[in-house]
Amino acid sequence: MTFNGILQILLFLAVVTLLAKPMGVYLTKVYGGEKTFLDFILKPLERFIYALCRVDAAAEMNWKQYGVAMLIFSLMSSLALYAIQRLQFYLPLNPQSFAAPSEHSAFNTAVSFVTNTNWQGYGGETTMSYFSQMAGLTIQNFVSAAVGMALAIVFIRGIARFETEKLGNFWADLVRGTLYVLLPFSFLAAIFFVSQGMIQNFKPSETAKLTESFVVQVDKKDADGNVIKDASGENVKEDQTIETQTIAQGPAASQIAIKMLGTNGGGFFNANAAHPFENPTPFSNFVQMLLIFVIPAGFTYTLGRMTKSPGHGWAVFAAMTLLFLAGTFTAYWAESAGNPLYPATVNQQVVGGNFEGKEVRFGVANSALFATVTTDASCGAVNSMHDSFTPLGGLVPMVNIMLGEVIFGGVGAGMYGILIMIILTVFIAGLMVGRTPEYLGKKIEAYDVQMAMLYALIFPLIILGLTAISALAPDFGLTSLNNQGAHGLSEIIYAFTSGTGNNGSAFAGLNANTLWYNTAIGMAMLVGRFLMIVPVLAIAGNLARKKQIPPSLGTFPVNTPLFTVLLISIVLIVGALTFFPALSLSPILEHFQMINGQSF
Amino acid sequence: MKNEISIWDRKIITQALFDSVKKLNPRTMLKNPVMFVVEVGAVFLTLKIFANILTGLSGSLGFELQITLWLWFTVLFANFAEAMAEGRGKAQADTLRRAKTETTAKLIEKDGSIVTTPATELSKGDIVYVEAGDFIPGDGEIVEGVASVDESAITGESAPVIRESGGDRSAVTGGTRVLSDWIKVRITSNPGETFIDRMIALVEGASRQKTPNEIALNILLAGLTIIFLLAVVTLQPFAIYSNAAQTIFVLISLLVCLIPTTIGGLLSAIGIAGMDRLVQHNVLAMSGRAVEAAGDVNTLLLDKTGTITLGNRQASEFIALKGVDEKFLADAAQLSSLADETPEGRSIVVLAKEKYGLRGREIHELATNTDFVPFTAQTRMSGINLDGREIRKGAVDAIEKYTANGNGHQSSTELREIVERIAKAGGTPLVVADNHKPLGVIYLKDIVKGGMRERFNQLRQMGIKTVMITGDNPLTAASIASEAGVDDFLAEATPEDKMALIKREQAEGKLVAMTGDGTNDAPALAQADVGVAMNTGTQAAKEAGNMVDLDSDPTKLIEVVEIGKQLLMTRGALTTFSIANDVAKYFAIIPAMFAATFPVLNALNIMGLKTPQSAILSAVIFNALVIVGLIPLALRGVKYRAMSASSLLQRNLLIYGLGGIVAPFIGIKIIDVIITALGLA
């Protein structure tokens, strides 16, 4: 670790902290229907949308109505996205004339973007037309994020309101979140990215002549395009000289901005934020990370403000910050320490540690930081290959997701995730003050605990269950592995963790583009999003109905450092303890094996 | 009944040992999902051992036997905890039950004849005749007569109490005994539903319903159990993938160690013990829900008299009229009170002695023709005739009448003013007259009980508001309220005002506790979240409240709240402890499971446990023993201190949270050393 690296990490945190309050205030205004500085352009647009869709924005819904509206909207979104992909050959803006992706790939992608996961089973620049990228994927980048934010707001409303069934209007929350929050900030960010050299055009891919050609070995094919095999069944190889390079083009900047701000993470290019067009400079890298955290961090302040206990918002922020720092510095330390298996002749100190799979323009510190940020939040964008991290460095992103992506978390998703954890914290520790548990003036009772446990249960059920099936299936589960042993298990666990957690990043060593993984991860994404939203809404509805209990000196304090420590403990115990046995056979085992000279 | 039962009472322990085996019945176990899982595991492993022996497959029989045995012990220990709590409750109940046996009743038939019937055959509405020496056959209301009743069977108080028809003293409790006179009682409960029956059932835990918070906690524990079940079930596939497949013995050991057996095993014991602690304070709760609510109380309504102030007023000042020497007044007042045995009278004698050095003269020291005039309802005065000198004291109107009848001394405006001033300040004025001439006034004042201010301060720190209820005028109430340090007061309170206050507090989301005894208190007692009825109160009051204080001591409301808080704290502390324990257990078991295949994982064996088998066995043994070790804590409750929620939380977290993480590391290591030394693993 270098002083410079540490400084950059702390600088990043400082800027996030500074942005939390203004963002939080702004979110409160937007969702409270208050006046904002953008009303002069957006208000007419908002009214027009309501008129067009015949939405009565003032008509508030109860939790069931809200949930049904959200589910219908998401279902329609999935169908639309599926249709756009399958029909892209007939649709405009397809200069490369890409054919439609296969049914299961289109299904996987549709689910992936609607659930805000952005797990990508395809290479963007070689699969998707510009129309599919812009009208399909980018729109989902906006609205799936807006759905997440709406749910977080509903939960906060549930806490802030008393003795009511009404939690707000889904359509209004969706429209306002998109118009007032996501659109303007993405717009600014896109312009900034272009200034950094990010591309934004509709040109087909360009071909450039290499200054230095090179030779690769490829499978030899016969005239019909079939691979020729030798007597022993091995593919016959032949040399091929590579003289040109294809350089992908397209409207990248407009999609990248919302990809980060909406914690979507789906790359325009296959290499995601490691691609020079998708993340050209260290400065753009810094801003991209900020975009990931700014809304989730703002939500902590919104929580404090809407529930009239700003101290509580900051206590939650503090818990997230501490967990974030712990993850970042563990990853940074592990990556800087490098791999002891390198021969002594490779001086890792010169390059700064384990440099495999990292971009030179970002370095170890910013790669470790990016990996932590993208998995703390449910973003899933990557600027380095997590698969190439050291075992402990790779453990950090995995654990971040397993904790439920509550360390700032996805837009909205992080907030409702941490609120579930808070409810469990208050319930477990709240009794110790000699009162039945209460949270911000609400009694936490059997129903709330039941729903919170349901939420906490679904996560390990899907991740561990699907990984276990894969680990036991040599034909469909293990054939996808490029690595054996502990690292192979890590790859499978990571894939399902990422899918269920709606993260979308990957340990790329696993070939997930198979029938089993496409289907299983697709289901994991759906369950990880929508099945977990139902208990969230149910709790919000139940909380809103409750009477207020006035706070007193005897009330369990939720705005103290002690609460922060407690919350962290519960996040770690509920999250990490469940996965510890599995992790002990994957990254942890791999780490000790590496120390003892074994690799995969 | 007030005697505390030792935790180590041999009879209770023996009975509990038997009961813990009886409770192995799966149908009983099913009520406790966590321990049910352990039992299923134990049954499974037992069968597996038999199967292994039959097929000659035994790998390491000694280890497997020990694991299985300790799982059974885990279940038995949890059952033992519950049985202990129930046993202690039963011991309390037995005292009650003794009072209940073999009572016969003299039933008055419609024609007026008296028939002797067993008490158990009485039903609601029957009228029975009870005379001196008889036990009252059931709960009821006196319809005719007055009697002194020995209620020591339920209150432990040996002094008899007077019960009479009509008014607030007409309720009698089955099992108590009439000492003098006779009464006719209308039975108000059906057989098996009497007050004592309900008490016995509740105390024994037989009819114990799970409280709302207990239900919620059970859901959490069941949820955690399922999560850990998942973690363990899916571990085997990962182990198979890693070529490190585990035996069922090891997997079930891991599961049992991870699921929250500590709190799961002690939860119901904690609840029963909470009720039991109330009984030790001579308070009977009608439901566990009431005890839980007591912990949540925000507002305490306390009756002034008897709770905040001593029941009786005391002389605090002698105010002489113009031209009268204060000492002369004091002397006259003392003389008039020498024979007055009431606390007020005694306090006058004492005040004169303390303030003016007037020694209380003994009666025989006085002149021979001394004649004490006792208080009568007609004169409403008392006093002394001493060598022709007439000294009287009494309420101002009575004395006025007396002075007017005599030498015609007219009541002065000065006297009127003094009397009014005292009355306004909340005191009781007693006018002293010497030979029909008023001398001055004795100021009788309410005396706030010692230590109440501190007590109210503690309550305030716990976030509990105290409201004094009094029939006094607002001025008086205010002065006593500020002296006692209560937060608020309700003056000139009628039952309707009380009710309105409760509803107002509840509308703000607060939980209210109160005490009451009269029939007119009944609606308020029913409305309050915690309504403690005095045992001396009417049947209506007792029915309306959700607790009954057998000692009829309104101050006890504060203790009731503390017991409620203690119950909740104990639950929270043990839950936290139980969950925190898991960290250490992972570090014991996970390396032990995989060290054989991956020796590098021994790096996780930070406790340095001897062998994989000893590590797993130690964790399982620790897990079982910790239940036993915590039984006293569960029964006694965690130490309660009046402090703010923040400090309480900090303290309990340090002990039970941090302690819960550290303790098993030490405990498992010690057990490992011992079983290794004994050659058990």
Side-chain angles (χ1 to χ4, degrees), chain B residues 284-326:
Chain B
L284 297 172
M286 293 302 154
S287 69
R289 191 185 282 256
V291 190
E292 214 163 76
D296 280 347
V297 161
N298 304 78
T299 308
L300 283 186
L301 304 191
L302 299 168
D303 279 326
K304 184 197 78 178
T305 310
T307 311
I308 295 171
T309 62
L310 296 170
N312 307 294
R313 293 164 174 222
Q314 294 193 357
S316 72
E317 207 181 329
F318 297 112
I319 303 164
L321 290 172
K322 254 183 221 135
V324 179
D325 182 28
E326 229 179 70

Side-chain angles (χ1 to χ4, degrees), chain B residues 421-501:
Chain B
R421 201 176 68 229
I422 293 173
K424 253 187 194 157
T428 305
L430 275 186
V431 182
V432 181
D434 189 351
N435 284 338
H436 300 274
K437 179 178 169 272
L439 293 179
V441 186
I442 307 168
Y443 185 169
L444 290 181
K445 204 177 163 186
D446 264 320
I447 302 297
V448 174
K449 282 184 177 175
M452 291 315 280
R453 182 173 272 276
E454 292 70 41
R455 206 113 193 234
F456 294 141
N457 274 336
Q458 288 178 354
L459 287 172
R460 198 169 303 119
Q461 270 170 27
M462 288 150 52
I464 296 174
K465 184 171 113 180
T466 44
V467 181
M468 183 181 84
I469 308 289
T470 171
D472 295 338
N473 63 58
L475 270 175
T476 312
S479 85
I480 296 171
S482 76
E483 194 185 336
V486 292
D487 297 299
D488 205 350
F489 63 87
L490 183 66
E492 288 166 357
T494 61
E496 292 74 36
D497 293 340
K498 231 171 164 176
M499 185 73 169
L501 174 67

Side-chain angles (χ1 to χ4, degrees), chain B residues 207-416:
Chain B
S207 67
R208 211 177 70 87
Q209 298 280 316
K210 278 188 182 144
T211 59
N213 175 259
E214 214 177 334
I215 292 170
L217 194 52
N218 252 318
I219 292 172
L220 178 91
L221 298 181
L224 286 176
T225 306
I226 298 172
I227 288 180
F228 285 121
L229 191 63
L230 256 171
V232 173
V233 166
T234 54
L235 184 56
Q236 183 72 335
F238 303 155
I240 293 171
Y241 167 91
S242 310
N243 294 320
Q246 298 296 311
T247 68
I248 190 76
F249 289 90
V250 172
L251 287 171
I252 290 183
S253 298
L254 176 66
L255 173 66
V256 169
C257 285
L258 292 184
I259 60 178
T261 47
T262 314
I263 180 66
L266 295 172
L267 188 56
S268 61
I270 295 170
I272 298 169
M275 298 280 283
D276 190 50
R277 270 198 298 284
L278 269 183
V279 174
Q280 278 171 21
H281 281 80
N282 268 358
V283 177
L284 297 172
M286 293 302 154
S287 69
R289 191 185 282 256
V291 190
E292 214 163 76
D296 280 347
V297 161
N298 304 78
T299 308
L300 283 186
L301 304 191
L302 299 168
D303 279 326
K304 184 197 78 178
T305 310
T307 311
I308 295 171
T309 62
L310 296 170
N312 307 294
R313 293 164 174 222
Q314 294 193 357
S316 72
E317 207 181 329
F318 297 112
I319 303 164
L321 290 172
K322 254 183 221 135
V324 179
D325 182 28
E326 229 179 70
K327 196 166 174 180
F328 183 72
L329 167 66
D331 183 58
Q334 193 186 43
L335 282 171
S336 73
S337 306
L338 281 178
D340 186 350
E341 289 297 330
T342 62
E344 285 89 352
R346 306 264 33 107
S347 76
I348 294 170
V349 175
V350 170
L351 182 70
K353 185 166 121 192
E354 282 177 353
K355 217 168 164 188
Y356 302 99
L358 298 169
R359 221 164 43 82
R361 282 141 290 195
E362 290 300 321
I363 294 163
H364 59 82
E365 289 173 33
L366 300 167
T368 41
N369 53 344
T370 306
D371 189 13
F372 289 104
V373 181
F375 180 88
T376 66
Q378 280 77 39
T379 62
R380 291 190 294 134
M381 293 188 302
S382 65
I384 190 169
N385 294 334
L386 192 68
D387 287 334
R389 188 180 165 198
E390 272 186 26
I391 305 174
R392 295 287 183 275
K393 70 171 199 289
V396 65
D397 46 343
I399 295 285
E400 265 175 2
K401 214 167 137 197
Y402 162 73
T403 51
N405 284 351
N407 296 353
H409 286 287
Q410 283 303 312
S411 157
S412 65
T413 46
E414 192 197 352
L415 182 67
R416 276 272 161 200

Side-chain angles (χ1 to χ4, degrees), chain A residues 153-482:
Chain A
I153 281 296
V154 161
F155 206 142
I156 299 177
R157 281 187 192 133
I159 300 163
R161 293 180 177 185
F162 296 95
E163 295 173 69
T164 175
E165 295 279 332
K166 303 293 179 199
L167 290 169
N169 183 298
F170 171 74
W171 306 110
D173 290 340
L174 180 71
V175 169
R176 286 187 70 83
T178 311
L179 278 188
Y180 289 83
V181 184
L182 299 174
L183 259 180
F185 292 121
S186 304
F187 183 76
L188 290 179
I191 290 177
F192 164 78
F193 287 142
V194 170
S195 81
Q196 293 298 302
M198 201 178 282
I199 56 167
Q200 176 76 9
N201 59 44
F202 294 102
K203 288 188 270 184
S205 300
E206 290 186 358
T207 307
K209 194 165 167 56
L210 290 179
T211 47
E212 206 175 320
S213 60
F214 63 102
V215 177
V216 292
Q217 284 213 315
V218 295
D219 292 336
K220 192 173 182 176
K221 294 178 181 165
D222 61 19
D224 300 330
N226 298 321
V227 177
I228 300 173
K229 305 215 180 227
D230 63 14
S232 58
E234 298 285 325
N235 294 354
V236 175
K237 301 281 184 188
E238 64 176 353
D239 286 351
Q240 188 181 352
T241 309
I242 305 290
E243 286 170 341
T244 59
Q245 178 187 8
T246 305
I247 300 174
Q249 299 290 321
S254 58
Q255 187 174 332
I256 305 313
I258 185 61
K259 157 198 162 192
M260 304 318 256
L261 185 68
T263 63
N264 294 283
F268 191 87
F269 303 106
N270 198 22
N272 212 303
H275 193 286
F277 282 170
E278 192 152 340
N279 195 0
T281 65
F283 193 19
S284 75
N285 189 60
F286 186 84
V287 172
Q288 291 198 1
M289 291 189 294
L290 270 186
L291 287 176
I292 298 177
F293 266 10
V294 65
I295 293 178
F299 261 114
T300 62
Y301 191 81
T302 306
L303 169 70
R305 194 175 170 92
M306 281 177 69
T307 58
K308 299 190 181 61
S309 42
H312 176 55
W314 286 118
V316 173
F317 181 88
M320 291 174 164
T321 301
L322 289 173
L323 284 165
F324 159 74
L325 285 176
T328 306
F329 281 105
T330 306
Y332 185 28
W333 164 78
E335 292 310 292
S336 308
N339 186 338
L341 297 188
Y342 275 127
T345 49
V346 178
N347 185 350
Q348 292 183 72
Q349 293 314 311
V350 174
V351 289
N354 171 27
F355 224 87
E356 185 193 307
K358 295 188 176 62
E359 292 292 303
V360 182
R361 64 187 184 285
F362 304 134
V364 170
N366 273 312
S367 297
L369 177 61
F370 198 107
T372 312
V373 169
T374 196
T375 49
D376 276 345
S378 75
C379 183
V382 290
N383 77 350
S384 56
M385 294 303 120
H386 296 178
D387 196 33
S388 301
F389 275 34
T390 58
L392 288 187
L395 176 71
V396 169
M398 208 185 298
V399 169
N400 280 341
I401 308 174
M402 285 169 173
L403 295 181
E405 286 161 342
V406 292
I407 310 171
F408 295 104
V411 282
M415 184 37 60
Y416 62 69
I418 197 81
L419 283 170
I420 297 276
M421 290 297 151
I422 290 172
I423 284 181
L424 290 177
T425 305
V426 164
F427 186 78
I428 292 171
L431 283 168
M432 279 194 290
V433 303
R435 290 175 65 83
T436 55
E438 56 202 6
Y439 173 52
L440 294 175
K442 301 276 172 91
K443 280 257 168 273
I444 302 301
E445 291 156 309
Y447 184 80
D448 311 302
V449 175
Q450 196 178 341
M451 289 299 140
M453 284 314 285
L454 189 62
Y455 182 97
L457 194 65
I458 292 169
F459 209 58
L461 175 71
I462 303 302
I463 295 175
L464 292 175
L466 290 176
T467 310
I469 295 171
S470 305
L472 283 186
D475 45 351
F476 61 80
L478 301 181
T479 43
S480 285
L481 287 178
N482 286 334

Side-chain angles (χ1 to χ4, degrees), chain A residues 427 431-432 434-437 443 453 457 485 489 547-548 550 553-556 573 577-578 582 584 592-593 596, chain B residues 213 217 223-224 227 238 241 295-296 461-463 506 508-509 565 568-569 576 579 586 590 598 600 603 645 649 652:
Chain A
F427 186 78
L431 283 168
M432 279 194 290
R435 290 175 65 83
T436 55
K443 280 257 168 273
M453 284 314 285
L457 194 65
L489 190 58
K547 267 194 180 173
Q548 182 168 23
L553 270 175
T555 309
F556 181 81
I573 284 179
L577 280 192
T578 321
S584 67
F592 288 116
Q593 286 175 327
N596 287 278
Chain B
N213 175 259
L217 194 52
L224 286 176
I227 288 180
F238 303 155
Y241 167 91
D296 280 347
Q461 270 170 27
M462 288 150 52
Q506 285 175 336
E508 287 171 27
K565 286 198 175 296
L568 295 172
M569 273 165 51
T576 308
I579 295 173
Y586 267 130
I590 294 290
F598 306 108
V600 290
L649 182 64
N652 286 334

Side-chain angles (χ1 to χ4, degrees), chain B residues 100 118-126 137-139 187-198:
Chain B
K100 208 184 157 249
T120 45
E121 284 175 20
L122 292 175
S123 55
K124 226 174 185 165
D126 285 346
D139 295 355
I187 298 297
T188 50
S189 57
N190 284 321
E193 291 171 14
T194 65
F195 193 57
I196 286 200
D197 288 315
R198 269 182 293 160

